[in-house]
């Protein structure tokens, strides 16, 4: 399920953000999933912050180019 979710997110981001390849964010989605599931005591906040700032950066980069 996590692999499918990350693939869909990568595809949507690539198409919607002007060909920004977001594969480096795939790991954050996996960590977020583990954190939500409560596995290994992983935090949810760090991946959410990382994903949020990546989205803001990608949007600003798209506007500036």
């Amino acid at each position: 399920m996590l692999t499918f979710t990350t693939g869909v997110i990568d595809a949507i981001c690539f198409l919607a953000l002007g060909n920004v390849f977001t594969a480096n964010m795939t790991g954050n989605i996996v960590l977020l999933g583990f954190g939500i599931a409560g596995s290994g005591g992983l935090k949810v906040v760090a991946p959410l912050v990382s994903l949020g700032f990546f989205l803001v950066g990608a949007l600003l980069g798209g506007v500036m180019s």
Side-chain angles (χ1 to χ4, degrees):
M1 186 64 172
L2 288 174
T3 303
F4 174 76
T5 304
T6 57
V8 168
I9 289 172
D10 283 343
I12 290 171
C13 289
F14 184 79
L15 296 172
L17 296 176
N19 298 333
V20 173
F21 187 63
T22 59
N24 57 335
M25 289 291 111
T26 301
N28 286 317
I29 299 295
V30 172
L31 292 174
L32 179 61
F34 285 142
I36 290 171
S39 175
L42 293 171
K43 307 262 186 228
V44 175
V45 175
L48 283 176
V49 169
S50 178
L51 290 168
F53 277 104
F54 178 81
L55 180 61
V56 169
L59 290 172
L60 286 174
V63 169
M64 293 173 65
S65 63

